[in-house]
Amino acid sequence: MIEIEQQVSALRGLAPNGEFERALFTPDQLRERVINDFVQDYTPEDAQKDTLVLAAFGLVEPDFDFYTFYIDLLSEQVAGFYDNETKDMVVVQKEAFRGPERLTYAHEYTHALQDQTYDIKHGLGYEEQACEQDTERCAAIQALLEGDATLTELEWFTRHSTRQDQQDIFEFYNTFESPVYDSAPAFMREDFLFPYTKGYEFVSFLYKKGGFPAVDAAYLNPPVSTEQILHPDRYPDELPIPVTLPDLLPVLGNGWNLLDQNVMGEWYTYLILAYGLTPNARLSELTAGRAVTGWGGDAYAVYLSPTGDATALVLSTVWDSLTEASEFAEAFTEYATARFGPSTAELTWQSAGIVTLFTLNGDQTIWVSAPDLATAQAILADVQP
C-alpha cells in the first residue's frame, strides 16, 4: 500500500499532508459498514420519499424498495472507498491483495490526496446538508472527484501494474457477476456509473488541455452542473440560470405536502427521456441527448396528496434558445405519447390516474402532472409566467 501511495502521489503531483487509517475488509464487513453508514445518514423514510419522487417522474415503481436495494447494490459493487469524514481507507479483500485490490487502492488513495489538498467537505462544500439543497452542484463535484481518481488509476495501471496485476484484473472481470446491478432500474444503472464514466471524460478533457495542473485548477473553481460535466467545453463559463417556483400548497389545498424541490439538471432530464421505467416510452440515447442539449436551468417540485396515494409535480426549464426549447418540446411530446397514450387535447395526456400538461413559451417549457385535470390546470396557472 505504501508503495502504491508513493507511485500515485508522484503520478498525480499531489504530496500527502495528512494521516488516515488503512483497513482491509471482507465482503461481509463491507456490508456491515454500508448498513451502519446508511442507518446514520439515510433512513427508510428518506428512501421512501426518494422513491415517490422518482416514481412521479416515471423512473421507478411507487412501491420499489429503494432502501434495501441500494444497500445490496453498494455491497455488491463497492471494491473500496475513502471516507473523508472518518479519514479511513477501506479496500475489500477476498483471497489476497492482488491486482484488483491494488488497482482499487490506487483509485481510493487519489481521494485521500484530494481531501488532504482541497478538503472535500469544507473546501469543496461536498457534504450532506449542502448536497441535499443543491443535488446538481454535488453531482458535478462527485464527477470531478471520481473522474480524477479514475484517470489517475488508469495512469497507475499503465505505468506501474505488473504482468501479474494485469492477469489478475483480467481474470476478475472475466468472471465477475453483478446480479443486483443487472436487476436495477435502467436509470439507476446509468446514474451509478455517471461520476466515473462522464467524470472521466470531463477530467480527461482538462488533462489533455493542461495535464494535472489543469485538473487541479478545477478544484479551485469546481463545476456546478451536470451540463458542464457532459459538455466540458462549457466549463467554467456557462453557469445554470436560476429558476424559481411558487409555493403550490395554497393551490393544492389542505393535506398536501411538499416531498421535494430541487434542480433536475441536464443529466436527470436525459435519464427521464432515455431510461424511464416504461421500455416502450424510452427515446433513443441520440434523440434524448439532442433534446436536453441546450439546458439552461430548471426547478422542480413534487407534492404528495392528502391520502398519500398520488403525487403532483412541476418541472420548469429554461433553455439556451427558442430552438433548444422547441427541440425538447418535440422530444417530450414523443415521450409522453409513448408513456401515456395519445393526447386528449393539445399537449395534454390522461392515463391511469395521471393528467399531464406541457407548455412551450419562448425559451421556457413547463411539465405538470397531477391526479386530475383541475389540479393540473391550477398548478400550471400558478407557475405559468
Side-chain angles (χ1 to χ4, degrees):
M1 285 182 173
I2 293 173
E3 179 184 48
I4 293 171
E5 290 169 15
Q6 293 170 343
Q7 293 166 343
V8 169
S9 176
L11 277 172
R12 183 59 186 80
L14 297 177
N17 63 2
E19 297 295 326
F20 61 90
E21 297 292 328
R22 303 180 185 88
L24 293 174
F25 275 23
T26 65
D28 288 342
Q29 288 173 318
L30 171 70
R31 183 176 179 84
E32 182 179 356
R33 173 67 177 267
V34 167
I35 292 173
N36 289 338
D37 286 353
F38 242 58
V39 169
Q40 180 179 350
D41 298 330
Y42 191 69
T43 67
E45 291 74 24
D46 294 332
Q48 175 63 14
K49 183 197 79 170
D50 287 344
T51 298
L52 291 172
V53 172
L54 293 169
F57 285 103
L59 293 171
V60 297
E61 294 284 3
D63 59 352
F64 180 70
D65 187 354
F66 193 80
Y67 186 79
T68 302
F69 189 88
Y70 209 68
I71 289 176
D72 291 342
L73 181 64
L74 292 178
S75 299
E76 175 189 82
Q77 292 291 320
V78 171
F81 60 87
Y82 168 76
D83 190 327
N84 65 287
E85 291 280 354
T86 59
K87 311 298 182 187
D88 65 340
M89 178 94 68
V90 171
V91 174
V92 180
Q93 176 181 335
K94 294 184 178 178
E95 292 80 15
F97 191 75
R98 302 176 65 181
E101 290 83 8
R102 286 162 53 79
L103 186 66
T104 297
Y105 196 80
H107 180 106
E108 299 306 328
Y109 182 65
T110 307
H111 289 319
L113 292 175
Q114 293 165 344
D115 191 29
Q116 292 172 7
T117 306
Y118 299 110
D119 191 348
I120 293 174
K121 181 176 181 179
H122 300 105
L124 298 180
Y126 188 74
E127 53 90 18
E128 183 180 2
Q129 186 174 359
C131 289
E132 285 180 357
Q133 295 174 352
D134 192 347
T135 54
E136 178 74 352
R137 181 186 67 84
C138 282
I141 293 175
Q142 185 187 18
L144 170 62
L145 292 168
E146 296 297 352
D148 180 9
T150 300
L151 176 62
T152 305
E153 162 193 7
L154 293 176
E155 287 291 307
W156 178 89
F157 178 79
T158 300
R159 302 192 194 188
H160 296 293
S161 65
T162 65
R163 208 168 267 190
Q164 186 62 52
D165 287 335
Q166 295 161 20
Q167 182 178 336
D168 293 342
I169 292 167
F170 174 78
E171 290 176 355
F172 173 79
Y173 283 109
N174 200 38
T175 59
F176 180 68
E177 295 181 349
S178 54
V180 179
Y181 175 83
D182 293 341
S183 68
F187 93 93
M188 191 182 291
R189 294 196 298 270
E190 295 299 310
D191 196 38
F192 191 79
L193 296 177
F194 173 82
Y196 304 94
T197 56
K198 301 304 181 182
Y200 170 73
E201 293 172 8
F202 173 79
V203 171
S204 294
F205 178 86
L206 301 178
Y207 183 78
K208 288 173 183 176
K209 289 178 64 177
F212 278 119
V215 178
D216 288 325
Y219 285 90
L220 304 179
N221 185 20
V224 294
S225 69
T226 55
E227 179 192 37
Q228 291 181 337
I229 300 300
L230 293 166
H231 309 279
D233 57 313
R234 301 182 184 182
Y235 165 82
D237 297 326
E238 193 160 324
L239 300 176
I241 300 168
V243 177
T244 58
L245 291 171
D247 177 9
L248 294 173
L249 288 176
V251 172
L252 292 168
N254 293 332
W256 282 84
N257 290 296
L258 177 64
L259 275 177
D260 189 32
Q261 58 183 0
N262 217 302
V263 174
M264 188 64 66
E266 180 175 333
W267 172 244
Y268 255 76
T269 306
Y270 165 79
L271 290 179
I272 291 169
L273 296 181
Y275 289 95
L277 180 65
T278 309
N280 65 1
R282 295 172 189 163
L283 305 185
S284 70
E285 293 181 353
L286 180 61
T287 300
R290 286 176 174 172
V292 300
T293 299
W295 177 91
D298 74 52
Y300 75 84
V302 180
Y303 294 82
L304 185 64
S305 70
T307 54
D309 59 356
T311 55
L313 71 82
V314 58
L315 170 64
S316 177
T317 307
V318 175
W319 302 88
D320 290 341
S321 68
L322 303 180
T323 301
E324 303 287 3
S326 296
E327 288 179 354
F328 178 76
E330 182 178 347
F332 184 88
T333 300
E334 179 183 347
Y335 158 81
T337 301
R339 180 181 169 190
F340 302 116
S343 59
T344 55
E346 186 177 4
L347 299 179
T348 303
W349 297 264
Q350 299 188 46
S351 173
I354 301 175
V355 176
T356 298
L357 306 180
F358 185 85
T359 65
L360 167 64
N361 184 6
D363 62 357
Q364 183 184 37
T365 59
I366 299 175
W367 168 14
V368 172
S369 286
D372 57 77
L373 182 60
T375 302
Q377 289 175 332
I379 293 172
L380 184 60
D382 207 39
V383 175
Q384 183 80 40

